[in-house]
mmCIF file of all heavy atoms in Angstrom:
data_model
loop_
_atom_site.group_PDB
_atom_site.id
_atom_site.type_symbol
_atom_site.label_atom_id
_atom_site.label_comp_id
_atom_site.label_asym_id
_atom_site.label_seq_id
_atom_site.Cartn_x
_atom_site.Cartn_y
_atom_site.Cartn_z
ATOM 1 N N ALA A 68 -4.267 1.959 -7.038
ATOM 2 C CA ALA A 68 -4.182 3.117 -6.102
ATOM 3 C C ALA A 68 -4.913 4.203 -6.709
ATOM 4 O O ALA A 68 -4.478 4.861 -7.674
ATOM 5 C CB ALA A 68 -2.628 3.479 -5.942
ATOM 6 N N ALA A 69 -6.094 4.457 -6.120
ATOM 7 C CA ALA A 69 -6.996 5.564 -6.619
ATOM 8 C C ALA A 69 -7.241 6.534 -5.431
ATOM 9 O O ALA A 69 -8.287 7.018 -5.208
ATOM 10 C CB ALA A 69 -8.322 5.002 -7.166
ATOM 11 N N ASP A 70 -6.168 6.663 -4.656
ATOM 12 C CA ASP A 70 -6.250 7.408 -3.355
ATOM 13 C C ASP A 70 -5.674 8.768 -3.464
ATOM 14 O O ASP A 70 -5.197 9.309 -2.410
ATOM 15 C CB ASP A 70 -5.642 6.550 -2.206
ATOM 16 C CG ASP A 70 -4.110 6.356 -2.548
ATOM 17 O OD1 ASP A 70 -3.766 6.074 -3.720
ATOM 18 O OD2 ASP A 70 -3.244 6.424 -1.615
ATOM 19 N N ARG A 79 -4.188 16.004 -11.602
ATOM 20 C CA ARG A 79 -4.542 14.985 -12.627
ATOM 21 C C ARG A 79 -5.691 15.525 -13.536
ATOM 22 O O ARG A 79 -5.702 15.408 -14.722
ATOM 23 C CB ARG A 79 -4.983 13.673 -12.008
ATOM 24 C CG ARG A 79 -3.961 13.026 -11.086
ATOM 25 C CD ARG A 79 -2.858 12.287 -11.855
ATOM 26 N NE ARG A 79 -1.987 11.600 -10.803
ATOM 27 C CZ ARG A 79 -0.830 12.146 -10.308
ATOM 28 N NH1 ARG A 79 -0.478 13.338 -10.641
ATOM 29 N NH2 ARG A 79 -0.182 11.420 -9.426
ATOM 30 N N ILE A 113 -7.307 1.276 -3.404
ATOM 31 C CA ILE A 113 -7.047 2.217 -2.273
ATOM 32 C C ILE A 113 -7.806 3.453 -2.572
ATOM 33 O O ILE A 113 -7.744 4.044 -3.652
ATOM 34 C CB ILE A 113 -5.575 2.586 -2.129
ATOM 35 C CG1 ILE A 113 -4.711 1.351 -2.268
ATOM 36 C CG2 ILE A 113 -5.343 3.271 -0.761
ATOM 37 C CD1 ILE A 113 -3.137 1.655 -2.265
ATOM 38 N N LYS A 143 -6.325 5.282 2.143
ATOM 39 C CA LYS A 143 -5.141 5.948 2.518
ATOM 40 C C LYS A 143 -5.357 6.701 3.814
ATOM 41 O O LYS A 143 -6.312 7.450 3.902
ATOM 42 C CB LYS A 143 -4.812 6.955 1.401
ATOM 43 C CG LYS A 143 -3.472 7.669 1.643
ATOM 44 C CD LYS A 143 -3.562 9.167 1.659
ATOM 45 C CE LYS A 143 -3.773 9.780 0.378
ATOM 46 N NZ LYS A 143 -2.657 9.637 -0.608
ATOM 47 N N LYS A 182 -3.129 2.272 3.618
ATOM 48 C CA LYS A 182 -1.837 2.671 3.094
ATOM 49 C C LYS A 182 -1.294 3.913 3.793
ATOM 50 O O LYS A 182 -2.102 4.778 4.157
ATOM 51 C CB LYS A 182 -1.982 3.050 1.576
ATOM 52 C CG LYS A 182 -0.758 3.612 0.872
ATOM 53 C CD LYS A 182 -0.990 4.160 -0.513
ATOM 54 C CE LYS A 182 -0.595 5.574 -0.524
ATOM 55 N NZ LYS A 182 -0.645 6.100 -1.938
ATOM 56 N N ARG A 184 2.261 6.383 3.172
ATOM 57 C CA ARG A 184 3.411 6.525 2.250
ATOM 58 C C ARG A 184 4.386 7.457 2.990
ATOM 59 O O ARG A 184 4.102 8.616 3.317
ATOM 60 C CB ARG A 184 2.893 7.163 0.930
ATOM 61 C CG ARG A 184 3.908 7.655 0.044
ATOM 62 C CD ARG A 184 3.303 8.078 -1.246
ATOM 63 N NE ARG A 184 4.202 8.650 -2.191
ATOM 64 C CZ ARG A 184 4.335 9.947 -2.516
ATOM 65 N NH1 ARG A 184 3.605 10.812 -1.842
ATOM 66 N NH2 ARG A 184 5.187 10.366 -3.409
ATOM 67 N N GLU A 223 4.414 1.692 2.871
ATOM 68 C CA GLU A 223 5.013 2.295 1.655
ATOM 69 C C GLU A 223 6.107 3.223 1.903
ATOM 70 O O GLU A 223 5.899 4.397 2.165
ATOM 71 C CB GLU A 223 3.885 2.963 0.858
ATOM 72 C CG GLU A 223 4.386 3.562 -0.489
ATOM 73 C CD GLU A 223 3.340 4.279 -1.319
ATOM 74 O OE1 GLU A 223 2.230 4.303 -0.934
ATOM 75 O OE2 GLU A 223 3.690 4.782 -2.411
ATOM 76 N N GLU A 225 8.623 5.162 0.057
ATOM 77 C CA GLU A 225 8.874 5.424 -1.406
ATOM 78 C C GLU A 225 10.215 6.227 -1.505
ATOM 79 O O GLU A 225 10.274 7.381 -1.091
ATOM 80 C CB GLU A 225 7.747 6.237 -2.098
ATOM 81 C CG GLU A 225 8.190 6.633 -3.478
ATOM 82 C CD GLU A 225 7.063 7.250 -4.271
ATOM 83 O OE1 GLU A 225 5.963 7.536 -3.747
ATOM 84 O OE2 GLU A 225 7.243 7.459 -5.514
ATOM 85 N N LYS A 265 5.001 -1.915 -0.016
ATOM 86 C CA LYS A 265 4.803 -1.191 -1.238
ATOM 87 C C LYS A 265 6.055 -0.377 -1.494
ATOM 88 O O LYS A 265 6.152 0.805 -1.100
ATOM 89 C CB LYS A 265 3.539 -0.339 -1.179
ATOM 90 C CG LYS A 265 3.385 0.488 -2.489
ATOM 91 C CD LYS A 265 1.970 1.044 -2.542
ATOM 92 C CE LYS A 265 1.776 2.037 -3.693
ATOM 93 N NZ LYS A 265 0.405 2.403 -4.020
ATOM 94 N N PHE A 305 4.426 -3.097 -5.957
ATOM 95 C CA PHE A 305 5.228 -1.915 -6.306
ATOM 96 C C PHE A 305 4.349 -0.675 -6.537
ATOM 97 O O PHE A 305 3.195 -0.811 -7.100
ATOM 98 C CB PHE A 305 6.023 -2.177 -7.504
ATOM 99 C CG PHE A 305 7.115 -3.242 -7.221
ATOM 100 C CD1 PHE A 305 6.927 -4.538 -7.682
ATOM 101 C CD2 PHE A 305 8.280 -2.913 -6.632
ATOM 102 C CE1 PHE A 305 7.866 -5.509 -7.415
ATOM 103 C CE2 PHE A 305 9.317 -3.858 -6.396
ATOM 104 C CZ PHE A 305 9.064 -5.148 -6.790
ATOM 105 N N LEU A 306 4.859 0.489 -6.314
ATOM 106 C CA LEU A 306 4.269 1.727 -6.788
ATOM 107 C C LEU A 306 4.992 1.940 -8.185
ATOM 108 O O LEU A 306 5.999 1.404 -8.533
ATOM 109 C CB LEU A 306 4.637 2.905 -5.827
ATOM 110 C CG LEU A 306 6.127 3.135 -5.575
ATOM 111 C CD1 LEU A 306 6.643 4.244 -6.503
ATOM 112 C CD2 LEU A 306 6.352 3.499 -4.166
ATOM 113 N N SER A 307 4.290 2.836 -9.040
ATOM 114 C CA SER A 307 4.877 3.044 -10.324
ATOM 115 C C SER A 307 5.786 4.326 -10.337
ATOM 116 O O SER A 307 6.694 4.386 -11.146
ATOM 117 C CB SER A 307 3.815 3.116 -11.413
ATOM 118 O OG SER A 307 2.919 4.119 -11.239
ATOM 119 N N GLY A 308 5.457 5.255 -9.504
ATOM 120 C CA GLY A 308 6.421 6.383 -9.242
ATOM 121 C C GLY A 308 6.754 7.274 -10.392
ATOM 122 O O GLY A 308 7.802 7.942 -10.357
ATOM 123 N N GLY A 309 5.980 7.283 -11.480
ATOM 124 C CA GLY A 309 6.251 8.160 -12.565
ATOM 125 C C GLY A 309 6.895 7.389 -13.748
ATOM 126 O O GLY A 309 7.309 8.061 -14.723
ATOM 127 N N SER A 335 0.736 -1.993 -7.163
ATOM 128 C CA SER A 335 -0.251 -1.135 -6.484
ATOM 129 C C SER A 335 -0.079 0.190 -7.228
ATOM 130 O O SER A 335 0.462 1.093 -6.637
ATOM 131 C CB SER A 335 0.012 -1.049 -5.017
ATOM 132 O OG SER A 335 -0.812 -0.120 -4.396
ATOM 133 N N TYR A 336 -0.356 0.224 -8.510
ATOM 134 C CA TYR A 336 -0.058 1.392 -9.334
ATOM 135 C C TYR A 336 -1.126 2.451 -9.282
ATOM 136 O O TYR A 336 -2.331 2.152 -9.231
ATOM 137 C CB TYR A 336 0.202 0.980 -10.778
ATOM 138 C CG TYR A 336 1.357 0.134 -11.043
ATOM 139 C CD1 TYR A 336 1.437 -0.682 -12.177
ATOM 140 C CD2 TYR A 336 2.527 0.075 -10.168
ATOM 141 C CE1 TYR A 336 2.528 -1.438 -12.524
ATOM 142 C CE2 TYR A 336 3.603 -0.756 -10.462
ATOM 143 C CZ TYR A 336 3.635 -1.511 -11.627
ATOM 144 O OH TYR A 336 4.713 -2.280 -11.918
ATOM 145 N N GLY A 337 -0.766 3.730 -9.313
ATOM 146 C CA GLY A 337 -1.629 4.790 -9.478
ATOM 147 C C GLY A 337 -1.661 5.250 -10.920
ATOM 148 O O GLY A 337 -2.370 4.813 -11.815
ATOM 149 N N ARG A 338 -0.597 6.081 -11.152
ATOM 150 C CA ARG A 338 -0.439 6.659 -12.554
ATOM 151 C C ARG A 338 -0.341 5.557 -13.678
ATOM 152 O O ARG A 338 -0.970 5.652 -14.742
ATOM 153 C CB ARG A 338 0.729 7.527 -12.657
ATOM 154 C CG ARG A 338 0.452 8.855 -11.975
ATOM 155 C CD ARG A 338 1.716 9.610 -11.635
ATOM 156 N NE ARG A 338 2.455 9.029 -10.478
ATOM 157 C CZ ARG A 338 3.586 9.552 -10.044
ATOM 158 N NH1 ARG A 338 4.202 10.517 -10.632
ATOM 159 N NH2 ARG A 338 4.173 9.003 -8.958
ATOM 160 N N ALA A 339 0.377 4.486 -13.458
ATOM 161 C CA ALA A 339 0.627 3.485 -14.479
ATOM 162 C C ALA A 339 -0.623 2.654 -14.831
ATOM 163 O O ALA A 339 -0.680 2.001 -15.871
ATOM 164 C CB ALA A 339 1.789 2.563 -14.070
ATOM 165 N N LEU A 340 -1.621 2.712 -13.939
ATOM 166 C CA LEU A 340 -2.940 2.043 -14.285
ATOM 167 C C LEU A 340 -3.892 3.072 -14.836
ATOM 168 O O LEU A 340 -4.777 2.686 -15.612
ATOM 169 C CB LEU A 340 -3.507 1.387 -12.989
ATOM 170 C CG LEU A 340 -3.093 0.027 -12.667
ATOM 171 C CD1 LEU A 340 -3.636 -0.356 -11.262
ATOM 172 C CD2 LEU A 340 -3.557 -1.053 -13.649
HETATM 173 P P1 13P B 1 2.031 5.753 -8.471
HETATM 174 O O1 13P B 1 1.928 4.340 -9.024
HETATM 175 O O2 13P B 1 1.448 6.736 -9.419
HETATM 176 O O3 13P B 1 3.440 6.098 -7.991
HETATM 177 O O4 13P B 1 1.128 5.883 -7.246
HETATM 178 C C1 13P B 1 1.120 4.833 -6.340
HETATM 179 C C2 13P B 1 0.925 5.391 -4.983
HETATM 180 O O5 13P B 1 -0.026 5.009 -4.359
HETATM 181 C C3 13P B 1 1.801 6.301 -4.475
HETATM 182 O O6 13P B 1 1.639 6.529 -3.076
#
Side-chain angles (χ1 to χ4, degrees):
D70 60 322
R79 304 278 185 269
I113 317 174
K143 184 237 287 295
K182 172 188 124 173
R184 172 173 175 257
E223 179 179 3
E225 175 174 7
K265 176 165 174 169
F305 293 99
L306 58 94
S307 61
S335 174
Y336 294 159
R338 285 162 284 179
L340 275 169

